[in-house]
Amino acid sequence: MSFTVVSLGGPVAPEGEEMLKAAGITSLATKPYPSKPEAIDLLAAHQADAIIVRLVERVDADILAASPRLKVVHKHGAGTNDIDVAAAKAAGIPVLAAVGANAHSVAEHALALMFALIKDMRRQDAFVRGGGWASKAYQGHELRGRTLGLVGMGLIGRNLARMASAIGMRVEAYDPYAPDDAFGPDCARAGALDALLAASDVISLHCPLTEQTRGLINARTLGLMKPSALLINTARGEVVDEPALVVALKAGIIAGAGLDTFSPEPPAPDNPLWQLDNVVLSPHIGGVTEEARREISLIACGNVIALLKGETVEPRFFVRG
């Protein structure tokens, strides 16, 4: 029996495409962020057996119903806030995610955003390109000796804790769901989020998007942070109240922010964050280095092939809805 896999939001890595081809599976892909009608039309026209979700606004019940043959939805990454997991569960369609595949990549990106902010790289780059050369005016700082507060202690948080500890940062993390063995010499457990926000020089977000974490960083919680503090978000844009963040950055409530995720995505061209020089931005690429993308594609394609052929898949990849 032949199968068809549709990747919503761009193709998987070439190594993943080769896996699908070798298994006799037809692979199709849309452009990044296809419209809902485009996604539905493609899935219906080719009667897709599986969806791999890359860059799409949301896979909802209508998209899930486009192909009666649909047997599995696999996120090309770890976060599944762009998939209606409840609707998939109601339809009897399992949802999987490539848990942990890009954890090192995202941790490195969070650290890179910290360095870019603490070393004032955005303004220094523009200064030199504009003909400037006045090192005495530079007021950069070191991360060494500062406190990093992690919100979320999954695989990304654990990787970042080791990296930050190695350069001399003191690391604490708040995660009421993390097991005790997630903490250790590289990271102490924080008992309360508010206390962590108040004590940290850098806050880095690594929690999933849930109803409990939506808007977790807001006017109140930003007000708890030090005026010299930096906020890093490589989690999900909706974890941060963006209008409140803009106010905090303009008013000096916090010193700066490094953002890889936004709400919505793609963000509006007139987003007020673009006008702030104490912000470093990237287009949600923390987890899509070539190395991470290859690993995610191999996991996603391997799991899809296994499910379509009735083989066993490790339980850790299944999303509980």
Side-chain angles (χ1 to χ4, degrees):
M1 184 177 181
S2 61
F3 298 107
T4 298
V5 174
V6 172
S7 178
L8 295 178
V12 299
E15 293 86 349
E17 293 286 355
E18 285 299 319
M19 285 182 69
L20 295 172
K21 182 179 179 181
I25 293 174
T26 300
S27 175
L28 304 170
T30 71
K31 65 184 181 182
Y33 295 105
S35 69
K36 183 175 176 177
E38 287 173 332
I40 289 174
D41 288 348
L42 184 62
L43 292 166
H46 294 275
Q47 288 297 286
D49 298 279
I51 296 173
I52 294 178
V53 181
R54 293 202 63 230
L55 298 172
V56 62
E57 288 189 13
R58 187 160 177 81
V59 175
D60 61 11
D62 295 333
I63 291 176
L64 293 168
S67 172
R69 289 171 51 117
L70 188 63
K71 301 173 183 67
V72 58
V73 176
H74 204 303
K75 173 66 179 181
H76 194 271
T80 55
N81 59 290
D82 50 4
I83 301 170
D84 189 335
V85 178
K89 184 178 181 180
I93 302 168
V95 177
L96 291 82
V99 179
N102 62 357
H104 193 93
S105 177
V106 177
E108 281 193 4
H109 196 76
L111 188 61
L113 291 171
M114 288 182 220
F115 273 121
L117 287 166
I118 204 77
K119 302 298 183 185
D120 195 31
M121 294 305 298
R122 181 178 180 274
R123 283 180 287 213
Q124 296 307 313
D125 178 85
F127 182 61
V128 174
R129 291 176 188 271
W133 194 266
S135 59
K136 291 182 179 180
Y138 175 55
Q139 296 183 348
H141 300 278
E142 295 182 2
L143 288 173
R144 180 184 59 167
R146 295 175 185 265
T147 297
L148 169 62
L150 302 175
V151 181
M153 198 55 176
L155 291 174
I156 297 170
R158 296 178 208 186
N159 273 291
L160 182 55
R162 287 192 293 270
M163 295 175 189
S165 179
I167 61 173
M169 297 189 80
R170 178 177 176 271
V171 187
E172 291 188 38
Y174 174 76
D175 188 334
Y177 305 104
D180 289 338
D181 61 11
F183 305 86
D186 296 322
C187 183
R189 184 167 212 150
L193 176 61
D194 284 5
L196 182 72
L197 294 173
S200 298
D201 299 295
V202 182
I203 289 290
S204 192
L205 305 176
H206 302 288
C207 51
L209 177 62
T210 65
E211 287 311 305
Q212 289 71 41
T213 63
R214 186 181 299 275
L216 185 70
I217 303 301
N218 51 47
R220 185 192 74 82
T221 49
L222 286 163
L224 298 174
M225 295 170 64
K226 299 177 181 180
S228 59
L230 305 174
L231 176 69
I232 307 296
N233 189 13
T234 55
R236 287 294 182 266
E238 293 85 351
V239 175
V240 177
D241 180 338
E242 276 190 16
L245 177 60
V246 171
V247 170
L249 290 165
K250 286 182 175 179
I253 294 170
I254 66 170
L259 306 173
D260 186 50
T261 57
F262 306 88
S263 177
E265 289 186 356
D270 60 350
N271 190 312
L273 287 167
W274 302 174
Q275 308 305 317
L276 304 180
D277 64 1
N278 55 346
V279 179
V280 175
L281 308 162
S282 57
H284 202 158
I285 44 79
V288 292
T289 56
E290 287 301 312
E291 294 85 353
R293 183 175 174 229
R294 184 184 308 114
E295 183 65 17
I296 292 170
S297 291
L298 291 174
I299 290 174
C301 293
N303 287 344
V304 165
I305 291 168
L307 277 175
L308 292 179
K309 293 190 172 183
E311 299 170 357
T312 301
V313 174
E314 288 185 51
R316 67 187 178 96
F317 295 116
F318 286 87
V319 176
R320 311 299 175 194

